[in-house]
Amino acid sequence: IAKERQRTSPPERADALSDIVLPDHDGNEVRLGDLWREEPVALVWVRHYGCVHCRSHAVQLNEARPEFDAAGARVVLVGQATPRQAAHFRRRLQIDLPVLADETRDSYRAAGAKVATAGELLGPKSVSSGVRATFASRGKVHQGRVIGHAAQLGGAMVIAPDGEVTWSHMAEDASDNASPAEILAAARQASTTG
């Protein structure tokens, strides 16, 4: 947990992310820059695999996958921990999106994600949002065991084939996820300008 409030610092270009290689949920190595070589990609960093907000967000993004496909953009999730844990996350939530495993959190740092304070993790906004997510999913999504750095926050960015970060939203607290509609709008914009 951060002692002082940090600032997010997403880059304007994805150059620092391009050469990072992460294993996917099957253990295959993926160079991040290859993800956006031919089409825009929406990279979404989840806090940790047990986070109720992250689980809810992953399910929503998976449901929106056909819309992203129609827009000519891919959605790829990045989480902490191992490929085995990433595969378990996919199975448990019944999602088809690829999940990359970043145990060292190098991509989180390159994306400008921050580490939260106690208030940003457990404040009233985060707690009430987590309760709403659980009820809205009819119990399918709930808080689970922390896997990885508990205070690491995530975020999302859309990266165009030329490496430009055309849009980003890095989390300010545990519940601060951009909606699938916001990410989709940014992905559509990147597809039409690319």
Side-chain angles (χ1 to χ4, degrees), residues 120-140:
E120 291 167 332
L121 289 177
L122 301 170
K125 177 183 171 216
S126 292
V127 172
S128 64
S129 177
V131 171
R132 281 193 308 276
T134 299
F135 281 112
S137 72
R138 297 185 182 93
K140 179 181 176 185

Side-chain angles (χ1 to χ4, degrees), residues 1-117:
I1 294 180
K3 291 184 170 117
E4 294 182 20
R5 187 176 178 93
Q6 297 180 358
R7 299 174 76 94
T8 62
S9 57
E12 293 180 12
R13 292 196 46 81
D15 300 336
L17 287 161
S18 290
D19 289 327
I20 294 175
V21 176
L22 300 175
D24 69 8
H25 53 269
D26 290 326
N28 301 311
E29 291 194 343
V30 176
R31 180 183 170 274
L32 295 186
D34 292 343
L35 295 173
W36 57 83
R37 185 183 314 152
E38 296 178 13
E39 64 186 357
V41 68
L43 275 183
V44 179
W45 287 267
V46 299
R47 281 189 52 231
H48 63 78
Y49 296 133
C51 168
V52 65
H53 307 292
C54 303
R55 289 175 170 190
S56 176
H57 199 221
V59 168
Q60 292 169 10
L61 287 166
N62 192 66
E63 290 169 355
R65 185 178 182 178
E67 295 171 77
F68 280 93
D69 290 344
R74 295 178 60 200
V75 178
V76 177
L77 304 180
V78 180
Q80 301 180 55
T82 66
R84 184 180 65 76
Q85 290 161 324
H88 178 74
F89 179 75
R90 289 178 83 236
R91 272 192 313 276
R92 180 173 186 79
L93 296 179
Q94 300 174 357
I95 61 174
D96 297 321
L97 296 173
V99 181
L100 304 179
D102 186 358
E103 288 185 85
T104 61
R105 298 183 293 132
D106 289 339
S107 71
Y108 287 79
R109 285 185 283 283
K114 71 179 192 174
V115 174
T117 63

